[in-house]
């Protein structure tokens, strides 16, 4: 689901990139990258935080596999919207979904690097037959990221960690 600016945070800061096939009108990119911190803003329903407070979430490889399978099981292939606004857009279709599983993955042949997209990354390709979205968003490089909509259960301890605490805990676990 294209995501350009959301709640004051810009996808531009995430250095997200896409592979675009103009002839086939297909845009490909990562849906979810394992263990990548994703900044969120708390709302009235976020347990343990005040509305407007920043917090971070991330998904491990196993969670990403489950998420990608659930997305397909629920047949959400035609559920793309723009900026989480409104119902599905017409003529935008998920045409490919896969998890990067090896150093020889086709994602790396599309120009993505292993540093950007490690093994465990969920990749998606959308065919854009909607002329407005193709001409005014894809061709003008306004699509800056995907956002997989869903309600996710979060570990309360991890939910309240700052980015530096998260990184420190990972270093400790590695050591």
């Amino acid at each position: 689901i294209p995501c350009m600016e959301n709640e004051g945070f810009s996808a531009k800061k995430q250095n997200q990139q896409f592979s675009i096939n103009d002839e086939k009108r297909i845009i490909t990119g990562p849906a979810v990258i394992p263990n990548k911190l994703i900044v969120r803003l708390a709302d009235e329903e976020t347990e343990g935080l005040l509305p407007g407070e920043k917090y971070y979430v991330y998904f491990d490889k196993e969670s990403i596999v489950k998420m990608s399978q659930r997305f397909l099981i629920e047949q959400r292939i035609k559920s793309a919207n723009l900026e989480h606004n409104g119902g599905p857009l017409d003529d935008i279709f998920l045409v490919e979904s896969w998890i990067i599983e090896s150093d020889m993955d086709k994602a790396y042949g599309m120009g993505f690097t292993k540093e950007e997209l490690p093994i465990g990354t969920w990749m998606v390709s959308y065919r854009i037959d909607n002329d407005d979205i193709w001409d005014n968003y894809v061709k003008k490089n306004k699509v800056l990221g995907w956002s997989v909509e869903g309600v996710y259960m979060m570990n309360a301890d991890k939910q309240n960690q700052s980015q530096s605490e998260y990184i420190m805990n990972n270093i400790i676990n590695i050591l």
Side-chain angles (χ1 to χ4, degrees):
I1 299 164
C3 181
M4 293 165 300
E5 298 279 341
N6 187 17
E7 302 172 325
F9 296 102
S10 172
K12 290 178 186 176
K13 297 175 187 170
Q14 302 295 320
N15 297 320
Q16 194 90 181
Q17 52 176 300
F18 296 91
S19 172
I20 298 173
N21 183 320
D22 287 310
E23 182 181 330
K24 295 180 181 180
R25 292 178 70 142
I26 293 178
I27 182 170
T28 301
V32 184
I33 300 169
N35 302 315
K36 182 175 182 174
L37 290 178
I38 304 165
V39 68
R40 292 285 180 250
L41 287 178
D43 60 19
E44 300 80 30
E45 297 176 24
T46 307
E47 190 175 325
L49 297 173
L50 296 174
E53 266 189 276
K54 284 186 200 178
Y55 66 97
Y56 297 87
V57 297
Y58 69 93
F59 300 98
D60 60 23
K61 292 177 187 179
E62 294 78 23
S63 297
I64 291 171
V65 168
K66 290 176 186 175
M67 188 184 325
S68 69
Q69 290 174 354
R70 182 176 176 185
F71 189 88
L72 295 172
I73 289 167
E74 292 176 358
Q75 301 178 17
R76 296 173 63 191
I77 63 171
K78 296 189 323 183
S79 63
N81 64 57
L82 189 60
E83 293 299 315
H84 303 279
N85 293 325
L89 294 169
D90 293 329
D91 301 322
I92 298 178
F93 310 97
L94 178 76
V95 294
E96 195 169 23
S97 172
W98 78 96
I99 303 289
I100 296 176
E101 295 182 343
S102 78
D103 290 337
M104 302 300 291
D105 193 272
K106 71 179 180 176
Y108 304 133
M110 299 172 101
F112 299 104
T113 68
K114 295 171 190 162
E115 293 75 30
E116 295 169 321
L117 306 179
I119 290 174
T121 297
W122 175 18
M123 298 293 294
V124 293
S125 296
Y126 278 87
R127 179 173 160 163
I128 313 292
D129 291 337
N130 181 312
D131 291 333
D132 177 48
I133 299 298
W134 184 258
D135 293 336
N136 295 310
Y137 293 91
V138 177
K139 288 180 87 175
K140 292 183 178 179
N141 295 316
K142 290 184 178 179
V143 177
L144 303 175
W146 305 122
S147 177
V148 181
E149 289 183 335
V151 177
Y152 304 100
M153 297 293 290
M154 291 183 282
N155 179 314
D157 293 334
K158 291 179 183 170
Q159 177 177 331
N160 292 320
Q161 286 181 344
S162 69
Q163 182 175 11
S164 58
E165 288 173 318
Y166 167 80
I167 292 168
M168 183 59 70
N169 286 336
N170 275 341
I171 291 170
I172 291 168
N173 288 336
I174 290 169
L175 295 175

